[in-house]
Amino acid sequence: MRRRIQKLTKKKTKDLNSKALDQKQKKSIISSLEESIKYINETLGNSDDFIVRKIRIGKEEQINIGIFYIDGLVDTQKINDFVIEPLMFDFQDKNIHSKHDLLTVIKDSTISVGDIEDVTDYGSLLSSLASGQIIILVDGFTKGFTIGLTNENYRGVTEPSQETVVRGPKEGFTETLRTNTALIRRKINSPNLRVETRKIGEVTQTQVSIMYIRGIVNEKVLEEVRTRLSKINIDGLLESNYIEELIQDKTFSPFPTMYNTERPDVVSACLLEGRVAILVNGTPFVLLVPSLFIQFFQAAEDHYQRWDFSTFIRFLRIACFFITLLAPSLFIAITTYHQEMIPTQLLISLAAQREGVPFPAFIEALLMEITFEILREGGIRMPKAVGQAISIVGTLVIGTAAVEAGFISAAMVIIVAITAIASFVIPAHNMSISIRLIRFLFMGLAASFGLFGITAAFIGLILHLCSIRSFGIPYMSPFGPYNVQDQKDSLFRLPLWRLSTRPRLINQQNINREQSPSPKPPSKK
């Protein structure tokens, strides 16, 4: 009872503080420039990076103007060229008929910046100030201006670090939201490409944009995305994974239900299928919904290579999925319970290798898998040059020494190595992590029940996958529910002229994508 009272008291105090903060932020701008400067300084805690530049303009220098900005977030050279210089020199020749014309002349005839908006309350003023905009207040007026002259010292457009391709675009997203939306617009030159931006995070006020193509997008999915984003109530939003965890369909599932990518061409292709993209300022990874299981085994390069080669590579990825998931557990089950399935010569060889090994097959595989995960994580966290050295030393020295010392059999080293290499073939990193986690469950059941345990785990895995949905769309479509029309770009990748329709469960209002005829040789005359 006491805990419940404490929780209610804390909640009530938080609500009262929140209401007081909202009322403070909605306060209208004071007409006195000095009072406004004092109020903003107190609100920002007299921060050292808050800059106030006061100037006097007019023929008799009777108009006091305050220019506010956060040092480091704005381009000071542009402030001098496009704000201060026009106000101090060009404003002298303007004809001001009345006091009410002053702000209009400053906004429309003096400041030569395109991104300029009115501001009337301190909440909007402080938010714009924190996001890197310049604030202009005129003494005697309860309205000011926000000017967008943000410092553009950000990382440029470079090749994606994870999703590399042999053939295709080499550009990747950056940490700047507007750069990312521009990269998508360069690929989709359509007026129907829409961008909706909102701020999420009470403290960080992070900009989050939704991108979709009107007339192609699934309206139900779009409305669901809007609803889920509007329900987010969090202090800070630093990366797109925050949103992924807060709005995903299935929390307690190792499989991702939202696809993330740092390639503009992948996002553009998904938008053309009817999906919705979620972009977060400050991260190069864009979320795509709805996402299907088979989508995590498809790469951007699949549509940049010949269809027959792309189909072969897709089947190779599916084969690597089964190798990553089942190879260690099958080895454990067969060598422990089902030796009769192994050819005689191979069985004799395996028995000779395991003669001096003191551990059962399960412990042996577990030690090797954990060692490999340690080496993988160490290689990621260390500097690039050192990380590569760690991987090479760990693979050669530790593996060889373990076999020679008699702790591990050579066959187990081969199985773990094949499993590790197969996990790298899967294009989506988050799906690869999920399979690596589930692999340990399969190994435990294989050590306990043999092939029967693997079979039961595999059936349970399929049932779990069929129960997942991504924003209302079945996770295993087009296999469950089965759709013949969508099979042409799932496991297979048929020629482009055969891909005439969009996925039917994702897109329900604009199915037809193209009507390109099949290529034919020129007719003989």
Side-chain angles (χ1 to χ4, degrees):
M1 186 69 180
R2 183 181 298 175
R3 290 181 179 177
R4 187 177 179 184
I5 293 173
Q6 289 177 350
K7 286 182 179 180
L8 291 173
T9 305
K10 288 181 180 179
K11 184 178 180 182
K12 188 175 181 180
T13 305
K14 185 178 179 181
D15 292 340
L16 291 173
N17 292 336
S18 179
K19 289 180 180 179
L21 183 62
D22 290 342
Q23 291 177 356
K24 185 177 181 180
Q25 288 183 345
K26 292 179 180 178
K27 181 180 179 181
S28 299
I29 294 176
I30 306 171
S31 60
S32 172
L33 180 60
E34 293 298 329
E35 292 293 329
S36 292
I37 295 173
K38 181 180 178 182
Y39 179 84
I40 297 172
N41 255 319
E42 290 177 354
T43 306
L44 296 178
N46 296 312
S47 182
D48 292 335
D49 59 351
F50 173 58
I51 308 299
V52 179
R53 174 76 163 90
K54 293 189 288 186
I55 61 175
R56 301 176 68 89
I57 65 173
K59 294 181 179 180
E60 299 178 0
E61 297 184 351
Q62 75 279 16
I63 303 172
N64 294 321
I65 289 183
I67 301 171
F68 313 91
Y69 59 91
I70 302 296
D71 191 19
L73 295 182
V74 299
D75 192 328
T76 54
Q77 185 60 43
K78 290 182 180 179
I79 295 177
N80 295 329
D81 295 341
F82 302 118
V83 179
I84 296 178
E85 185 175 334
L87 285 173
M88 297 186 70
F89 297 103
D90 298 344
F91 187 80
Q92 309 295 335
D93 301 328
K94 307 296 182 182
N95 294 321
I96 308 298
H97 301 289
S98 64
K99 182 180 179 181
H100 300 288
D101 294 337
L102 178 60
L103 295 182
T104 303
V105 172
I106 292 175
K107 180 180 179 181
D108 299 338
S109 304
T110 305
I111 298 176
S112 56
V113 177
D115 186 10
I116 180 170
E117 296 180 357
D118 298 335
V119 60
T120 57
D121 60 272
Y122 286 111
S124 302
L125 185 149
L126 293 169
S127 178
S128 301
L129 193 66
S131 63
Q133 293 184 316
I134 302 166
I135 308 299
I136 292 181
L137 294 181
V138 182
D139 190 24
F141 291 87
T142 58
K143 183 174 73 171
F145 305 118
T146 64
I147 302 175
L149 290 177
T150 308
N151 193 346
E152 297 179 355
N153 292 330
Y154 300 108
R155 183 174 68 92
V157 178
T158 57
E159 185 176 357
S161 59
Q162 293 193 18
E163 300 174 84
T164 56
V165 295
V166 177
R167 178 178 179 179
K170 303 295 183 180
E171 58 187 7
F173 289 121
T174 69
E175 286 75 17
T176 310
L177 179 63
R178 283 296 162 250
T179 301
N180 296 340
T181 56
L183 288 172
I184 298 174
R185 284 198 177 275
R186 288 177 185 174
K187 296 187 177 297
I188 304 178
N189 302 319
S190 171
N192 291 324
L193 179 62
R194 303 300 168 85
V195 180
E196 298 178 5
T197 304
R198 65 186 70 194
K199 291 184 178 180
I200 299 179
E202 294 185 5
V203 178
T204 59
Q205 292 289 301
T206 306
Q207 289 184 317
V208 178
S209 292
I210 303 172
M211 293 194 75
Y212 60 92
I213 302 177
R214 187 177 66 86
I216 296 179
V217 69
N218 189 331
E219 294 292 342
K220 293 182 180 179
V221 173
L222 177 61
E223 190 59 35
E224 185 66 22
V225 172
R226 291 169 176 162
T227 303
R228 295 188 188 186
L229 288 178
S230 64
K231 292 180 179 179
I232 294 178
N233 186 9
I234 190 172
D235 287 343
L237 186 66
L238 303 178
E239 216 275 336
S240 57
N241 183 68
Y242 285 59
I243 289 183
E244 184 175 354
E245 290 195 21
L246 291 171
I247 69 173
Q248 64 184 352
D249 290 68
K250 201 79 170 179
T251 302
F252 300 102
S253 173
F255 294 99
T257 56
M258 299 178 69
Y259 190 86
N260 66 80
T261 180
E262 52 181 341
R263 295 187 61 88
D265 56 329
V266 173
V267 175
S268 302
C270 290
L271 291 178
L272 290 170
E273 288 184 345
R275 290 183 169 89
V276 179
I278 303 174
L279 298 87
V280 180
N281 191 33
T283 176
F285 290 93
V286 175
L287 302 176
L288 292 165
V289 295
S291 297
L292 309 179
F293 177 76
I294 193 63
Q295 183 181 356
F296 294 90
F297 298 91
Q298 299 172 353
E301 201 172 11
D302 291 351
H303 290 85
Y304 306 147
Q305 302 281 2
R306 282 182 53 85
W307 67 272
D308 46 2
F309 179 73
S310 298
T311 300
F312 168 74
I313 294 299
R314 285 188 180 182
F315 274 99
L316 182 65
R317 295 186 193 122
I318 297 297
C320 290
F321 162 72
F322 286 108
I323 292 173
T324 305
L325 183 66
L326 299 175
S329 55
L330 285 174
F331 184 81
I332 293 170
I334 293 174
T335 55
T336 306
Y337 295 102
H338 311 282
Q339 295 91 345
E340 68 278 2
M341 298 178 65
I342 307 175
T344 305
Q345 294 297 326
L346 180 59
L347 181 61
I348 294 173
S349 175
L350 291 176
Q353 293 178 26
R354 292 189 50 79
E355 185 177 0
V357 177
F359 306 110
F362 172 68
I363 301 299
E364 188 181 359
L366 191 63
L367 289 174
M368 284 299 298
E369 290 290 351
I370 293 176
T371 302
F372 178 76
E373 293 297 333
I374 293 173
L375 290 173
R376 187 204 298 260
E377 191 66 20
I380 293 174
R381 303 304 165 199
M382 295 295 291
K384 287 185 178 180
V386 182
Q388 294 175 0
I390 287 177
S391 300
I392 296 171
V393 171
T395 304
L396 296 177
V397 176
I398 296 179
T400 305
V403 173
E404 292 179 352
F407 291 110
I408 305 295
S409 64
M412 183 59 73
V413 174
I414 295 173
I415 294 296
V416 172
I418 292 174
T419 303
I421 295 172
S423 67
F424 290 123
V425 177
I426 301 172
H429 180 65
N430 49 359
M431 179 59 74
S432 177
I433 294 174
S434 301
I435 299 169
R436 281 155 46 194
L437 290 176
I438 299 172
R439 181 176 58 199
F440 289 99
L441 174 63
F442 275 74
M443 289 166 54
L445 291 173
S448 301
F449 306 103
L451 292 178
F452 299 102
I454 296 176
T455 304
F458 194 72
I459 293 173
L461 178 65
I462 294 175
L463 293 175
H464 174 70
L465 288 171
C466 292
S467 68
I468 301 176
R469 287 179 174 266
S470 177
F471 286 78
I473 306 300
Y475 194 56
M476 288 300 292
S477 61
F479 311 110
Y482 185 76
N483 190 315
V484 179
Q485 297 294 330
D486 292 348
Q487 299 299 322
K488 55 182 175 292
D489 195 17
S490 54
L491 288 178
F492 302 91
R493 206 282 274 176
L494 297 185
L496 289 176
W497 57 269
R498 291 291 301 274
L499 306 180
S500 58
T501 58
R502 296 183 175 88
R504 294 181 180 274
L505 284 177
I506 296 176
N507 187 283
Q508 298 176 351
Q509 62 173 336
N510 191 349
I511 299 297
N512 294 325
R513 174 158 41 189
E514 61 184 48
Q515 298 293 334
S516 300
S518 60
K520 295 180 181 179
S523 58
K524 297 181 180 179
K525 296 183 179 179

